[in-house]
Amino acid sequence: MTGPRVEFFFDLSSPWTRLAFANLWPLLEQAGEAAILRPILVGGVFNAVNPAVYAAREDAGSRRFQHVWKVLNDWAALAGVTMKFPSAYHPAKSVTAMRMACALEEDQAALRRFAEAAFESYFRREENLDDPDVLIAAANAAGLDGAAIAQASTTDAIKLRLRANTDELIARGGYGSPTIFVDKTDMYFGNDQLPLVAFALKGKRP
């Protein structure tokens, strides 16, 4: 197999993705591996194969749902990540953000910087992930040309690319963000399955 063994399909609006993004890089460094970042639109995935997510949001007062926030904050503390969530903008629309991410997909280093800046904007500063000006400012803060990225994200080619990435994840069995593949077919989901990703990279999986 050529290229990185790990693919990381993600949507910037997901709190668990934010945690997995923070925890992914130390894992890869320790394993001597790299990853390809693949932007998707998680709402498109939910609509196609995981509508139960919306039903769970309707029952936000349940004990289980309330405990999720406690666990989320515990994971954030463990990862050393500041998260103020849920914010006034949750659940966030992420189409604009993910199109901007897709505009950077060919430059993985730039995409990583933009994603980190966007995560900080949404989860630390509680800014609107759906506001182009906020996203442009985040890109600029990461040393990128935010206006140029925003302009590129409006092209039909980028819109189609985001749709294609989302459809690809669905076709490969994914149902949310983050979805992580090792060696193309070995699929994992969520921040809490990263230890299994590390296990797979060591060749320990049966």
Side-chain angles (χ1 to χ4, degrees):
M1 178 179 178
T2 60
R5 296 176 61 193
V6 177
E7 295 167 275
F8 188 87
F9 286 83
F10 73 102
D11 185 301
L12 290 161
S13 67
S14 161
W16 299 106
T17 302
R18 197 284 167 265
L19 293 172
F21 194 85
N23 290 321
L24 175 68
W25 309 105
L27 180 159
L28 292 174
E29 184 175 358
Q30 186 173 23
E33 300 286 351
I36 292 290
L37 300 174
R38 303 290 306 279
I40 60 161
L41 189 62
V42 76
V45 178
F46 292 158
N47 290 339
V49 296
N50 194 11
V53 169
Y54 301 123
R57 288 177 183 169
E58 292 296 322
D59 193 23
S62 70
R63 290 184 180 184
R64 181 181 182 278
F65 204 88
Q66 291 301 311
H67 187 246
V68 165
W69 301 135
K70 187 267 185 188
V71 173
L72 179 72
N73 286 318
D74 287 347
W75 272 111
L78 182 62
V81 171
T82 299
M83 292 189 69
K84 298 176 182 177
F85 188 84
S87 75
Y89 298 106
H90 173 74
K93 295 180 180 178
S94 59
V95 175
T96 302
M98 298 320 300
R99 285 175 178 170
M100 287 180 67
C102 263
L104 293 169
E105 192 172 2
E106 292 300 319
D107 185 343
Q108 286 282 303
L111 175 53
R112 178 177 172 182
R113 284 154 52 200
F114 172 71
E116 182 63 39
F119 280 135
E120 287 292 284
S121 170
Y122 183 48
F123 292 108
R124 180 190 288 267
R125 298 192 297 276
E126 299 181 89
E127 296 171 340
N128 186 358
L129 190 66
D130 193 42
D131 186 333
D133 290 336
V134 168
L135 295 166
I136 288 170
N140 290 341
L144 305 169
D145 187 339
I149 297 165
Q151 181 62 35
S153 73
T154 64
T155 65
D156 288 341
I158 293 302
K159 293 176 182 179
L160 289 172
R161 182 167 194 156
L162 179 59
R163 183 177 299 174
N165 284 358
T166 304
D167 288 345
E168 179 185 338
L169 177 62
I170 293 167
R172 292 171 66 179
Y175 53 89
S177 173
T179 301
I180 306 150
F181 288 94
V182 177
D183 298 332
K184 298 295 184 184
T185 58
D186 193 8
M187 188 179 83
Y188 299 91
F189 175 73
N191 174 71
D192 61 340
Q193 291 188 11
L194 283 176
L196 299 178
V197 173
F199 194 61
L201 289 171
K202 292 177 182 178
K204 300 296 185 180
R205 182 179 180 276

